[in-house]
Amino acid sequence: KAKILASNPHSHCQIFELEDHCLGIQGHPEMPLQYLKLLIKDRYLGIVDDHIVQHAIKSLEIPPDNALIGQWIIRFLQGNESK
C-alpha cells in the first residue's frame, strides 16, 4: 500500500512511497525556478484561467525544500525510513 509523504491543497499526493520499492515525486525539485516560471507561462497562459497561472507563478516565491527532498531520496535509496 502506498504511503503519502507530502500533499498540498491542490494535490492530495505530492510525494509517496510504496513500501521500499518506489518513491514518487509529483513536483520537479531538480528544475531551476526561473525555468519553471517560463514553463508555466509558455504552457498555460491563454489556456488556464489567468488567476491560476499567476497563483502558480507567485507560489515559486516560496523557498523550495530541495535539501529536505534530497535527504528523503538518499534515505530511501539507502533503505531507511523516508521521513
Side-chain angles (χ1 to χ4, degrees), residues 24-78:
I25 301 173
Q26 176 71 17
H28 291 279
E30 76 282 3
M31 291 187 178
L33 295 177
Q34 188 62 28
Y35 175 77
L36 290 172
K37 184 176 182 178
L38 292 172
L39 185 65
I40 290 167
K41 286 182 175 181
D42 184 55
R43 288 197 179 174
Y44 299 110
L45 271 179
I47 297 172
V48 177
D49 288 340
D50 188 56
H51 74 279
I52 294 173
V53 173
Q54 295 308 320
H55 179 75
I57 291 170
K58 181 122 177 95
S59 75
L60 296 175
E61 295 174 7
I62 301 168
D65 291 326
N66 291 350
L68 178 61
I69 293 169
Q71 290 172 0
W72 288 347
I73 293 169
I74 290 168
R75 287 182 190 148
F76 182 84
L77 293 173
Q78 292 174 336

Side-chain angles (χ1 to χ4, degrees), residues 6-20:
S7 63
N8 67 34
H10 304 287
S11 175
H12 174 68
C13 182
Q14 284 290 312
I15 301 175
F16 74 92
E17 68 179 357
L18 183 57
E19 298 176 359
D20 60 350

